[in-house]
Amino acid sequence: MRAVVQRVTRSQVTVDDKVTGRIGPGLMVLIGVEKEDGDKDAEYIAKKIAGLRVFDDDEGVMNLNITDAGGEVLAVSQFTLLGDVRKGNRPSYFAAAAPEEADKLYRKVIDLLEARGINVEEGVFRAEMSVDITNDGPVTILLDSHKLF
């Protein structure tokens, strides 16, 4: 499972001209699920998102996690994170999980974050979405449950 985590001052996702999720300060998280992923991968990603110390403390040092900072999460499923362009320029999505399995594990990440008391807003699974992101910093972190990076 992969995730791109961006610290934001605000973010929102729109589907068919309707806002489906909106947050103020917090984390915008794009999540891609691989074929071989399971519950352990979702648990790893949720734990990392919740624990990332990317918010400034009183001394201006990135030392606070999302809960400490009182932030929210906007989660969006994004299978294109699994795009492989090592052979040519057209991405191959062979590694991406089937939609049913991807949705199940994407939902598990959200459930695990909410179980930690984090407010999570969402996009719409498999929908064409418009995502507005105001990256703060900018701070962008890449996560991979298989620890490829």
Side-chain angles (χ1 to χ4, degrees):
M1 185 176 288
R2 291 188 179 160
V4 174
V5 181
Q6 296 183 309
R7 186 179 74 184
V8 298
T9 56
R10 65 168 195 80
S11 188
Q12 75 176 27
V13 63
T14 305
V15 177
D16 295 328
D17 297 321
K18 180 182 176 208
V19 174
T20 63
R22 176 184 290 140
I23 64 168
L27 298 173
M28 170 65 211
V29 182
L30 306 170
I31 300 170
V33 181
E34 294 183 68
K35 285 181 184 176
E36 305 301 319
D37 288 342
D39 288 345
K40 294 273 187 215
D41 298 281
E43 291 162 9
Y44 175 87
I45 293 295
K47 183 178 179 182
K48 281 293 187 183
I49 292 167
L52 281 175
R53 293 170 36 189
V54 295
F55 295 93
D56 291 346
D57 62 16
D58 291 338
E59 296 178 18
V61 177
M62 286 195 294
N63 208 20
L64 304 177
N65 64 33
I66 188 81
T67 304
D68 297 335
E72 304 171 284
V73 169
L74 177 57
V76 172
S77 176
Q78 188 175 359
F79 80 96
T80 61
L81 293 179
L82 287 299
D84 185 346
V85 292
R86 290 177 289 181
K87 295 181 182 177
N89 294 318
R90 183 174 181 206
S92 167
Y93 300 106
F94 179 78
E100 300 77 26
E101 186 63 18
D103 187 34
K104 179 182 130 195
L105 291 172
Y106 164 74
R107 298 245 49 91
K108 183 163 182 83
V109 171
I110 292 167
D111 291 345
L112 290 166
L113 291 170
E114 290 177 334
R116 291 174 177 258
I118 299 168
N119 181 53
V120 181
E121 296 281 317
E122 303 177 52
V124 176
F125 190 82
R126 294 190 79 185
E128 188 73 26
M129 295 175 268
S130 175
V131 182
D132 294 318
I133 301 168
T134 303
N135 196 316
D136 182 21
V139 173
T140 302
I141 306 293
L142 304 176
L143 301 175
D144 187 287
S145 63
H146 302 283
K147 301 177 182 127
L148 296 177
F149 45 80

